[in-house]
Amino acid sequence: MKFRSWILIFLACNLTFSTISAFRLSRSQPTERISGSAGDVLDDNPVGRLKVFVYELPSKYNKKILQKDPRCLTHMFAAEIYMQRFLLSSPVRTLNPEEADWFYVPVYTTCDLTPNGLPLPFKSPRMMRSAIQLIASNWPYWNRTEGADHFFVVPHDFGACFHYQKAIGRGILPLLQRATLVQTFGQRNHVCLKEGSITVPPYAPPQKMQSHLIPGKTPRSIFVYFRGLFYDVGNDPEGGYYARAAVWENFKDNPLFDISTEHPTTYYEDMQRAIFCLCPLGWAPWSPRLVEAVIFGCIPVIIADDIVLPFADAIPWEDIGVFVDEKDVPYLDTILTSIPPEVILRKQRLLANPSMKQAMLFLLNGLARKLPHDRSVYLRPGEKLLNWTAGPVADLKPW
């Protein structure tokens, strides 16, 4: 190893020890209020400013699908299920569609799982088309805007493109072009993210997270932590794994980096012992690691140049996490060890703020901030903008 590398590691270790010592103090410190728009959003109650009508669809679009495979309740795409449950009992729900600001269509498009739990989205376009045809035939509200005041939860890897390798070629389902999409996929300048979409975090089962909590006074003795694949040559449609490969090639032997492809049973406990948790892009820029890091107070190190983060218009991600350009991965050790302890402590205090976990409140305020709808969303009598026969022939088959 070159002399300069030894010097870097020596300096890094000294800073790491001081950072860990500082963190021991931070565990007992009060949390810090989220400043700026995030604090404003959390102080702003959407009840009274927002009314949502939830369509009552036949159970084949949601409940029966879940009954067939209850695993859908706990996978990271379960936002579509919990959104419906939340809205059905929410004070923003209205039973009178005439007074609704938004219309929600509860369709579980990712609850078709392989034996190992991966969603099969290939039937989703037909299922979604069927649901839209149903509401357009039985209610007048879709037709007056062609969906511009409707929102759908599409939590698949590539959102409403409903595919993996062919996502770019397919694009967003044509019938959803005017609707607001609530999705976990967020990547700038990508065909699977349309303007006006609301990016949300993937679902993290609260009971599971709670069961892995460790005592609050446990010191964070791991400097950098990551578990996951570093290479996925045969299953990487957009080449996103090169950043992960760079992490492995540069830091597999660095004592500051606890990184591995193994996924131990202590994964969540280890995150709570770590100061920084790497969140590099893979198939897509987003990853459940980002949510897990926030939940467990581990500062997320976001390595995804084009990522659109959840509730980016409200949450001060720059204050909470660390952003590293993909090209700068080889300098990751220098970047992280140069962050002053007081900056790390402030990020940890912000992460400890319980408001950071109020995803539904952020979402409702995201919908409320889009109001009132511009009059241009309402179509003139007889006007049609959407092409109901557009898309692959297979998508037009009955569901």
Side-chain angles (χ1 to χ4, degrees):
M1 182 179 290
K2 294 182 179 179
F3 178 77
R4 180 177 178 274
S5 299
W6 278 112
I7 293 294
L8 283 175
I9 288 180
F10 174 78
L11 293 173
C13 287
N14 279 310
L15 181 55
T16 302
F17 295 144
S18 64
T19 300
I20 292 170
S21 298
F23 184 81
R24 289 195 183 100
L25 297 176
S26 77
R27 292 277 188 166
S28 59
Q29 290 179 359
T31 63
E32 186 165 327
R33 183 187 183 277
I34 302 174
S35 61
S37 57
D40 297 339
V41 166
L42 291 167
D43 292 340
D44 188 11
N45 190 345
V47 177
R49 299 189 301 113
L50 175 70
K51 292 184 183 296
V52 177
F53 178 77
V54 181
Y55 284 106
E56 292 187 16
L57 300 183
S59 59
K60 69 175 185 177
Y61 293 101
N62 39 62
K63 293 179 183 177
K64 283 189 176 179
I65 297 174
L66 178 58
Q67 290 171 357
K68 181 181 176 182
D69 196 338
R71 291 180 300 166
C72 297
L73 281 169
T74 55
H75 70 32
M76 64 180 176
F77 305 104
E80 59 190 0
I81 298 170
Y82 290 100
M83 172 59 72
Q84 182 187 21
R85 293 185 175 186
F86 170 77
L87 286 174
L88 288 177
S89 59
S90 170
V92 304
R93 183 191 182 193
T94 178
L95 300 178
N96 179 8
E98 292 295 334
E99 67 176 16
D101 302 301
W102 287 99
F103 296 82
Y104 169 59
V105 187
V107 184
Y108 298 171
T109 57
T110 58
C111 189
D112 183 10
L113 306 180
T114 64
N116 63 353
L118 294 176
L120 293 171
F122 313 118
K123 298 178 184 177
S124 300
R126 292 163 52 205
M127 182 182 181
M128 188 67 83
R129 282 179 55 87
S130 174
I132 293 173
Q133 288 170 336
L134 179 68
I135 64 174
S137 301
N138 290 276
W139 288 273
Y141 309 106
W142 174 274
N143 297 318
R144 69 184 185 182
T145 67
E146 288 195 324
D149 54 358
H150 288 54
F151 71 94
F152 297 78
V153 179
V154 284
H156 178 255
D157 275 324
F158 288 95
C161 287
F162 297 125
H163 213 285
Y164 294 102
Q165 285 82 358
K166 298 180 181 179
I168 294 178
R170 289 178 58 89
I172 293 172
L173 185 70
L175 291 185
L176 295 176
Q177 291 292 343
R178 286 175 59 81
T180 290
L181 304 179
V182 177
Q183 58 188 70
T184 49
F185 177 82
Q187 181 174 346
R188 288 189 293 272
N189 305 314
H190 197 286
V191 296
C192 297
L193 180 69
K194 64 187 289 288
E195 185 178 357
S197 297
I198 298 177
T199 307
V200 299
Y203 177 73
Q207 296 86 355
K208 183 179 180 181
M209 302 293 106
Q210 187 74 24
S211 68
H212 287 275
L213 289 177
I214 62 177
K217 293 183 179 180
T218 305
R220 292 189 180 263
S221 55
I222 301 170
F223 190 58
V224 180
Y225 187 74
F226 177 81
R227 290 294 183 272
L229 292 176
F230 293 99
Y231 303 92
D232 196 10
V233 177
N235 199 18
D236 184 14
E238 299 194 24
Y241 274 80
Y242 71 90
R244 295 192 185 194
V247 170
W248 178 251
E249 294 299 331
N250 284 278
F251 304 111
K252 60 186 175 183
D253 297 321
N254 190 315
L256 298 178
F257 284 68
D258 188 345
I259 58 177
S260 172
T261 57
E262 297 179 359
H263 203 288
T265 56
T266 58
Y267 174 69
Y268 291 129
E269 288 83 355
D270 292 343
M271 292 187 86
Q272 294 169 78
R273 297 186 181 97
I275 296 171
F276 296 104
C277 289
L278 301 185
C279 302
L281 76 167
W283 282 0
W286 68 273
S287 163
R289 291 176 187 83
L290 179 64
V291 178
E292 294 162 349
V294 170
I295 289 173
F296 292 127
C298 185
I299 298 171
V301 180
I302 301 162
I303 309 171
D305 291 353
D306 294 321
I307 193 170
V308 176
L309 289 161
F311 313 120
D313 60 337
I315 295 178
W317 287 105
E318 293 282 352
D319 295 337
I320 292 165
V322 176
F323 289 80
V324 176
D325 291 344
E326 294 165 24
K327 65 178 177 58
D328 292 333
V329 166
Y331 315 108
L332 195 55
D333 52 352
T334 305
I335 292 170
L336 296 180
T337 56
S338 65
I339 301 175
E342 60 271 19
V343 174
I344 291 175
L345 289 173
R346 182 171 185 271
K347 291 180 184 293
Q348 291 169 336
R349 288 196 299 271
L350 288 169
L351 286 169
N353 191 318
S355 299
M356 283 298 301
K357 284 75 175 178
Q358 297 186 38
M360 288 300 183
L361 182 57
F362 277 112
L363 174 57
L364 292 181
N365 275 292
L367 291 170
R369 290 197 300 277
K370 289 177 172 288
L371 298 175
H373 295 296
D374 191 277
R375 294 301 304 173
S376 64
V377 307
Y378 297 97
L379 305 182
R380 295 184 297 271
E383 184 181 9
K384 299 290 182 184
L385 297 178
L386 297 179
N387 183 352
W388 285 75
T389 61
V393 175
D395 291 357
L396 305 182
K397 295 178 180 179
W399 179 74

